[in-house]
Amino acid sequence: MAPNQTIPPLSDKSLFKQECYVNGEWVKAKSGKIFEVKDPGSGKFIGTCPECSKEDTDEAVKVAAAAFPSFRKTTGRERARMLRKWYQLMVDNADDIAKLITWENGKPFNDAKGEAAYAASFFEWFSEEAPRTDGDTIPATVPGNRVFTIKEPIGVCGLITPWNFPAAMITRKIGPAFAAGCTVVAKSPGETPFTSLALAELAHRAGIPKGVVNFITALENTAEVGSALTSNPTVRKVSFTGSTGVGKLLMKQSADTLKKLSFELGGNAPFIVFDDADLDVAVNGAVACKFRSSGQTCVCANRIYVQKGIYDKFATAFAEKVKGFKVGGGYDEGVTHGPLIHDRAISKVDAHVRDAEEKGGKIIVGGQKMPDLGSNFFQPTVITGMTMDMQLASEETFGPVAGLFPFETEAEVVKMANKAEVGLAGYFYSKDLQRAYRVAEALEVGMVGINTGLVSDPAAPFGGVKYSGFGREGSKYGISEYQIMKMITMGGMGEPLQGS
């Protein structure tokens, strides 16, 4: 252990793992290479993980493929019981999972506890979906034929997850794949690998069969691992959450083997406040939607549009809320917002703020780096007088910056909202029922929040349109992303009863 390494007070220190989990065993990279992980708040060393390569990835895929024939034959009820055990272990160890999230991701401990519970809920949800993968009976047009469908697991799945939700993004993908009867190779995010490795340890304790779930890690070799998963013909499905640019690359790499894909990619969510909205409710919703995890979520409000009739009142009330934030280390008492994940994130946030300022935007709260706290801290920021030529209008900031854009009409704001290439989530506040339908149907996004800034729920289908990707996670639809539908036709079934 490095001298400057300070492990949070885990109740169960054996949840802190620094090796990959393959075929039910803890293993190092074949090359022996490792990478370091640091606390984004303090910059201090946390630990090391194996720098896996194509060779390691291929081995994990081979193991998953060997486990698939027997695992696919388990019943949905058997898989449900296993998922339920895994879920219960997550609940029992929720505080330790949250401590790991805060340690490597930086989000405040209360937020991390919320994520730990949210992550576990996907195992609970899909434990209930596993026994209910129903097929259909279809009336045939040919006399004597009987047509029906069955659902089958697609096979070995490659799962690639991001750092902003180190637990929830893993469970949201593994849950439905496991419930469907698939085996998986999960590539943990290099910035935040320890949370996922703790989940692997809990899988082991839950009695998940060897080879069914496998976790590999990489930082510098992330692209190599991604290429290995997308090019390996044994992998029949790839699910990825991350940037649109990487999603496009993975899609190209998957073309030769015609994989089934589901991608949850970039977001640039519009948040619209109409004149008839309840101002207090809209302000609270915008604060929660914009600044959750310091703005580092794909469904965060990125462009806040406020109708001119209430623009000034909204801006004043919104700014007052933001002034009440406390920025600091994730474990510090009273802290509401933590650091950004790394220096590249800080640079992008600062560039967006400076660009808006140069083009006439007025910073009414924040707007500066916070070097006294550390290199990855930035003040929660509110900017008024935003215009469509500013970077923030077209690029996802992924940080604690709220730009307020004025607008006059429904048609105008919907046009501005839909100008983005991406279409993940959109939000608006209004008391007008007819407007609610009009605007919800007009927004080019996969998810709409009306009078709420939070849409994530294991029961709700999560996903986008346009450059935000395709496929849905969570809900009753999530499991179908890991299944194939097989049609079976039986002929000669129309004979009369014997003896008639």
Side-chain angles (χ1 to χ4, degrees):
M1 187 182 298
N4 61 342
Q5 182 181 27
T6 53
I7 299 177
L10 297 179
S11 299
D12 182 352
K13 289 183 169 55
S14 66
L15 287 176
F16 181 69
K17 298 293 185 183
Q18 299 185 80
E19 294 178 318
C20 295
Y21 184 72
V22 178
N23 202 27
E25 297 178 354
W26 295 100
V27 299
K28 303 180 185 300
K30 293 183 183 297
S31 66
K33 292 182 178 179
I34 57 174
F35 62 91
E36 292 187 353
V37 181
K38 295 183 178 180
D39 178 341
S42 67
K44 290 183 178 180
F45 173 80
I46 295 175
T48 64
C49 278
E51 186 71 78
C52 291
S53 63
K54 180 182 184 300
E55 186 180 7
D56 299 295
T57 307
D58 289 345
E59 177 62 25
V61 170
K62 182 180 177 182
V63 163
F68 179 62
S70 59
F71 186 64
R72 68 175 299 172
K73 292 179 182 177
T74 57
T75 66
R77 184 63 63 190
E78 288 174 312
R79 296 194 293 274
R81 293 190 185 106
M82 285 186 269
L83 269 180
R84 187 75 192 189
K85 286 182 182 178
W86 201 354
Y87 158 76
Q88 191 59 52
L89 285 167
M90 286 192 68
V91 172
D92 294 344
N93 292 275
D95 266 14
D96 279 350
I97 293 170
K99 289 170 186 174
L100 288 169
I101 292 172
T102 294
W103 196 17
E104 61 183 356
N105 171 278
K107 66 179 64 175
F109 186 54
N110 281 337
D111 285 2
K113 287 195 288 187
E115 183 188 342
Y118 178 56
S121 73
F122 284 103
F123 283 168
E124 180 182 38
W125 176 267
F126 284 108
S127 74
E128 296 161 351
E129 289 293 303
R132 297 178 175 83
T133 56
D134 303 326
D136 287 311
T137 300
I138 304 169
T141 61
V142 178
N145 280 3
R146 301 293 182 266
V147 180
F148 60 96
T149 64
I150 59 174
K151 304 285 183 64
E152 295 183 335
I154 193 167
V156 177
C157 301
L159 313 177
I160 306 173
T161 59
W163 49 262
N164 57 339
F165 287 90
M169 295 299 96
I170 288 279
T171 59
R172 197 162 75 182
K173 295 181 189 299
I174 288 183
F178 189 100
C182 298
T183 57
V184 306
V185 176
K187 191 274 173 188
S188 304
E191 298 87 350
T192 58
F194 297 117
T195 302
S196 61
L197 295 178
L199 299 187
E201 170 62 20
L202 296 180
H204 190 82
R205 297 179 190 180
I208 306 303
K210 288 185 177 182
V212 171
V213 291
N214 306 278
F215 291 76
I216 56 176
T217 60
L219 185 61
E220 288 186 4
N221 290 349
T222 292
E224 181 180 337
V225 170
S227 177
L229 288 173
T230 52
S231 61
N232 193 319
T234 302
V235 177
R236 297 309 310 146
K237 156 82 181 188
V238 169
S239 178
F240 167 71
T241 297
S243 72
T244 296
V246 173
K248 289 179 179 180
L249 176 62
L250 295 175
M251 191 171 182
K252 288 178 182 177
Q253 293 172 346
S254 299
D256 283 347
T257 51
L258 292 176
K259 299 190 190 314
K260 186 172 184 177
L261 304 171
S262 53
F263 288 167
E264 191 259 284
L265 307 176
N268 189 353
F271 188 104
I272 304 167
V273 184
F274 289 102
D275 283 346
D276 66 332
D278 182 312
L279 184 64
D280 290 339
V281 172
V283 167
N284 289 331
V287 167
C289 188
K290 169 67 256 184
F291 290 102
R292 185 166 62 116
S293 296
S294 296
Q296 297 177 111
T297 88
C298 53
V299 290
C300 272
N302 197 61
R303 300 165 288 151
I304 301 177
Y305 301 106
V306 185
Q307 204 158 13
K308 287 187 176 179
I310 60 167
Y311 184 91
D312 291 338
K313 287 183 179 179
F314 180 92
T316 299
F318 185 75
E320 284 304 309
K321 291 280 187 181
V322 176
K323 288 176 184 176
F325 293 166
K326 180 180 178 181
V327 181
Y331 298 112
D332 294 344
E333 187 69 29
V335 163
T336 58
H337 294 78
L340 300 190
I341 191 66
H342 45 49
D343 57 354
R344 299 189 303 280
I346 286 287
S347 296
K348 185 175 185 180
V349 167
D350 189 56
H352 278 195
V353 172
R354 303 284 78 81
D355 173 76
E357 190 176 33
E358 290 168 8
K359 293 175 180 174
K362 182 181 178 182
I363 298 172
I364 60 173
V365 180
Q368 300 297 327
K369 299 176 184 178
M370 305 178 76
D372 290 348
L373 289 178
S375 60
N376 291 335
F377 289 90
F378 199 95
Q379 293 175 334
T381 300
V382 181
I383 308 174
T384 58
M386 296 294 294
T387 56
M388 293 301 289
D389 63 333
M390 296 175 182
Q391 288 179 348
L392 197 146
S394 58
E395 299 177 15
E396 185 178 25
T397 305
F398 228 66
V401 180
L404 309 185
F405 297 75
F407 75 92
E408 292 186 356
T409 68
E410 273 183 28
E412 176 194 8
V413 74
V414 169
K415 183 179 179 180
M416 290 193 292
N418 289 344
K419 191 175 181 181
E421 290 183 332
V422 294
L424 190 57
Y427 311 86
F428 67 90
Y429 279 68
S430 172
K431 295 178 182 177
D432 186 324
L433 183 61
Q434 290 180 324
R435 169 179 279 165
Y437 273 90
R438 284 196 305 268
V439 176
E441 293 173 358
L443 288 174
E444 295 173 356
V445 295
M447 300 174 287
V448 178
I450 304 174
N451 296 324
T452 180
L454 301 174
V455 296
S456 296
D457 184 329
F462 191 103
V465 298
K466 297 162 66 173
Y467 282 19
S468 288
F470 40 81
R472 293 296 180 266
E473 295 187 319
S475 81
K476 66 178 183 179
Y477 303 106
I479 196 169
S480 64
E481 299 289 339
Y482 298 89
Q483 295 173 316
I484 56 174
M485 179 189 295
K486 179 178 285 184
M487 183 275 293
I488 299 173
T489 298
M490 299 179 68
M493 304 301 290
E495 297 296 320
L497 290 172
Q498 292 183 358
S500 61

